[in-house]
C-alpha cells in the first residue's frame, strides 16, 4: 500500500469489556510494560502507521480514563458495552474519519507490535479485508486480529455487527474478500482470557 494510503487508516481499539472471565476487572487496566495495557496497545497502533487511534471504552470507563495516558488518542465511551463487542465495533467504526480504512484491534492481545501493524497496512489491497493469520498446532492458518476493513466495506460490516460479534458475521458472509497475512513469526496471536494466560503480560 502506498504511503499516502497508510495515512487513511484509523485504528479502532476495542477496550470496553469488563474482563469477567479473567476476573481482574477491565483488561484495559492490566499492567504491561510498566503501563496500562490499553495505553501500550494504543501507542503500538499509532507507531505502526495508523493515522489515528479511536479507543472504545465501556466498563469502568472513568477509572480507565483516570489510570491510562491516552492523551495522544481519541477516546469514546460505549454506554451499551454490556450488550457485547458488536456495539463497541459499531461505535468505533462509526467514529473513524469518513473515508478511512479501519484497522480493528483488541485490547487483550499484548503480543501486538508496531511491526505487525505496519505489515497489515502494507499488505492491504483496495476493496479487501486484510486479516492477521496464525499457524495452529496442525500447521493450518487461523484468522485472527488485527484486521483491516477497506473503507468501502465499513457500512456493511457495521450493519452486521451485533451481540458478541464485531466483524464476524460480515467475514462469514464474504470469505472471498479476505486476504490472510501470516503473522506467525511475530506472535502466537493469543488473546488474554483466563488466569492461565497472564504469562503473556510478562
Amino acid at each position: 500500500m502506498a504511503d499516502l494510503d497508510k495515512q487513511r487508516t484509523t485504528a479502532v481499539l476495542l477496550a470496553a469489556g469488563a474482563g469477567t472471565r479473567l476476573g481482574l476487572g477491565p483488561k484495559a487496566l492490566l499492567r504491561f510494560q510498566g503501563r496500562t495495557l490499553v495505553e501500550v496497545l494504543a501507542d503500538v497502533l499509532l507507531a505502526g502507521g495508523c493515522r489515528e487511534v479511536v479507543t472504545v471504552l465501556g466498563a469502568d470507563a472513568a477509572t480507565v480514563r483516570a489510570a491510562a495516558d491516552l492523551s495522544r488518542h481519541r477516546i469514546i465511551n460505549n454506554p451499551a458495552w454490556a450488550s457485547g463487542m458488536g456495539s463497541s465495533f459499531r461505535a468505533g467504526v462509526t467514529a473513524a474519519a469518513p473515508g478511512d480504512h479501519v484497522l480493528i484491534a483488541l485490547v487483550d492481545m499484548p503480543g501486538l507490535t508496531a511491526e505487525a501493524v505496519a505489515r497489515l497496512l502494507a499488505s492491504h489491497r483496495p476493496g479487501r479485508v486484510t486479516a492477521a493469520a496464525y499457524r495452529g498446532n496442525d500447521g493450518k492458518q487461523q484468522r485472527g486480529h488485527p484486521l483491516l476493513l477497506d473503507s468501502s466495506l465499513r457500512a456493511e460490516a457495521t450493519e452486521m455487527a451485533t451481540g458478541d460479534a464485531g466483524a464476524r458475521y460480515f467475514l462469514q458472509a464474504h470469505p472471498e474478500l479476505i486476504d490472510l497475512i501470516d503473522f506467525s513469526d511475530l506472535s502466537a496471536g493469543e488473546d488474554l482470557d483466563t488466569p492461565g494466560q497472564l504469562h503473556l503480560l510478562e
Side-chain angles (χ1 to χ4, degrees):
M1 187 166 62
D3 288 344
L4 182 63
D5 209 23
K6 283 185 184 180
Q7 299 305 311
R8 292 184 51 235
T9 299
T10 292
V12 171
L13 179 58
L14 301 178
T20 306
R21 280 180 293 178
L22 191 60
L24 296 173
K27 297 176 191 176
L29 289 173
L30 293 172
R31 302 301 292 180
F32 182 52
Q33 298 178 355
R35 299 191 289 156
T36 60
L37 186 55
V38 66
E39 65 186 278
V40 171
L41 291 185
D43 285 353
V44 161
L45 290 164
L46 200 61
C50 293
R51 185 171 71 78
E52 181 179 43
V53 180
V54 174
T55 303
V56 184
L57 302 181
D60 293 333
T63 304
V64 176
R65 282 177 179 262
D69 179 6
L70 295 169
S71 57
R72 302 173 66 200
H73 313 293
R74 189 143 62 97
I75 307 170
I76 63 170
N77 283 351
N78 173 22
W81 65 268
S83 66
M85 187 190 295
S87 63
S88 292
F89 178 91
R90 291 195 304 273
V93 175
T94 300
D100 271 21
H101 309 311
V102 178
L103 188 152
I104 306 295
L106 308 180
V107 78
D108 61 358
M109 293 188 68
L112 184 64
T113 63
E115 182 181 355
V117 174
R119 180 180 297 180
L120 203 67
L121 293 175
S123 302
H124 184 65
R125 295 189 294 157
R128 309 283 294 172
V129 176
T130 312
Y134 305 90
R135 293 195 181 279
N137 293 331
D138 58 2
K140 295 181 180 179
Q141 285 190 335
Q142 300 291 326
R143 177 176 55 77
H145 284 85
L147 61 87
L148 201 165
L149 283 172
D150 193 79
S151 58
S152 63
L153 305 175
R154 283 174 52 170
E156 185 179 353
T158 303
E159 288 171 7
M160 297 182 72
T162 185
D164 283 327
R168 186 193 320 148
Y169 295 138
F170 173 78
L171 297 176
Q172 288 174 349
H174 296 288
E176 76 283 357
L177 294 178
I178 304 171
D179 294 324
L180 296 180
I181 309 301
D182 193 354
F183 277 30
S184 302
D185 59 317
L186 300 178
S187 168
E190 293 180 90
D191 51 8
L192 187 56
D193 279 333
T194 67
Q197 294 172 306
L198 287 172
H199 64 89
L200 297 174
L201 296 173
E202 296 172 357

